[in-house]
Amino acid sequence: MLNTYELQQELTEKNEIILTEGDITLRPLVMEDAQDMFEYCSLDEIADGMTWDAHQSVEDTKWFIDYTLNRLEGSNDVFFAIEVDGKMVGSTSLLYVDNRHHVAELGYMLNPVFAGRGIVTRAVKLIMNHGFKTMEMNRIQARCFIENTGSENVMKRVGMELEGILRKRMFVKGQYHDMKLYSVLKEDM
């Protein structure tokens, strides 16, 4: 993968990273993304795979964006909006970045209107490339609820391997959930 996808990195006036590959742009999340993000964060089918409930209003989404941007301050984590043809269609992130051990946790979500086009797979490959080459990560891992086969399929498509089941790993929405743990190493790419 690292040899297949050319990483194009531009620094804007604010020294923000923008990654592009074909028609996909990964760019910093901004408050102006609230309406586009609300379109999918308000859907139960998205919220079912997350730790949060479906957004009830654009104000909920603005709060989420504000929370995310504040969380990023002072950390090494990255959170990108996925943009296609000028529209924010999803997001991807590397969170819990541990520079001592060179490990990060991958996250992603996509507006289901844009599913089936390879967008999230290409965006994830792009952020993983950034994680391994620029951020010097050695391991990128991702988790999903055991029943979230869509997310699991993305992990498989980008070359991640199942490490195991984390039994009753999260207490979300009133119940314990098993999670699948996938990872990929820099040397695997």
Side-chain angles (χ1 to χ4, degrees):
M1 180 180 78
L2 292 177
N3 294 329
T4 305
Y5 287 86
E6 262 187 59
L7 179 63
Q8 298 176 8
Q9 194 170 302
E10 301 171 54
L11 296 177
T12 65
E13 302 84 27
K14 295 180 183 178
N15 203 31
E16 297 169 329
I17 298 168
I18 297 174
L19 308 172
T20 59
E21 190 273 315
D23 60 343
I24 294 176
T25 299
L26 302 186
R27 58 158 177 80
L29 181 68
V30 293
M31 192 57 72
E32 290 75 19
D33 292 322
Q35 185 60 49
D36 286 343
M37 185 177 254
F38 175 71
E39 286 178 20
Y40 59 91
C41 287
S42 62
L43 302 174
D44 287 334
E45 67 183 280
I46 296 296
D48 287 348
M50 303 295 175
T51 59
W52 37 264
D53 292 323
H55 295 189
Q56 300 301 305
S57 68
V58 175
E59 290 307 311
D60 289 348
T61 306
K62 287 180 179 177
W63 180 90
F64 177 79
I65 291 171
D66 187 60
Y67 170 81
T68 300
L69 296 176
N70 284 325
R71 186 185 179 288
L72 293 174
E73 278 186 37
S75 79
N76 295 312
D77 297 353
V78 293
F79 192 104
F80 292 105
I82 302 170
E83 185 176 294
V84 177
D85 298 327
K87 181 172 179 62
M88 191 260 205
V89 300
S91 62
T92 186
S93 57
L94 290 174
L95 303 176
Y96 311 109
V97 172
D98 182 338
N99 285 326
R100 179 176 179 208
H101 299 288
H102 308 278
V103 176
E105 182 140 343
L106 172 69
Y108 47 87
M109 59 181 154
L110 181 72
N111 184 332
V113 170
F114 296 89
R117 302 181 193 179
I119 293 169
V120 76
T121 300
R122 291 188 297 142
V124 166
K125 285 180 178 179
L126 191 57
I127 197 171
M128 286 172 48
N129 192 4
H130 175 70
F132 288 131
K133 280 190 167 182
T134 306
M135 297 174 69
E136 300 180 350
M137 294 294 105
N138 185 58
R139 172 188 168 94
I140 295 176
Q141 62 189 33
R143 296 175 291 157
C144 67
F145 293 133
I146 203 161
E147 61 275 359
N148 190 344
T149 56
S151 185
E152 181 179 20
N153 288 337
V154 171
M155 294 177 210
K156 290 177 180 178
R157 281 194 301 269
V158 299
M160 296 183 121
E161 292 185 25
L162 177 65
E163 290 194 349
I165 306 296
L166 305 172
R167 298 172 44 215
K168 308 285 186 209
R169 171 61 177 86
M170 295 191 80
F171 186 76
V172 177
K173 302 174 188 173
Q175 59 185 342
Y176 289 100
H177 293 269
D178 293 344
M179 301 195 80
K180 291 186 177 180
L181 175 65
Y182 277 79
S183 72
V184 64
L185 302 177
K186 185 175 186 175
E187 65 196 46
D188 298 335
M189 306 313 290

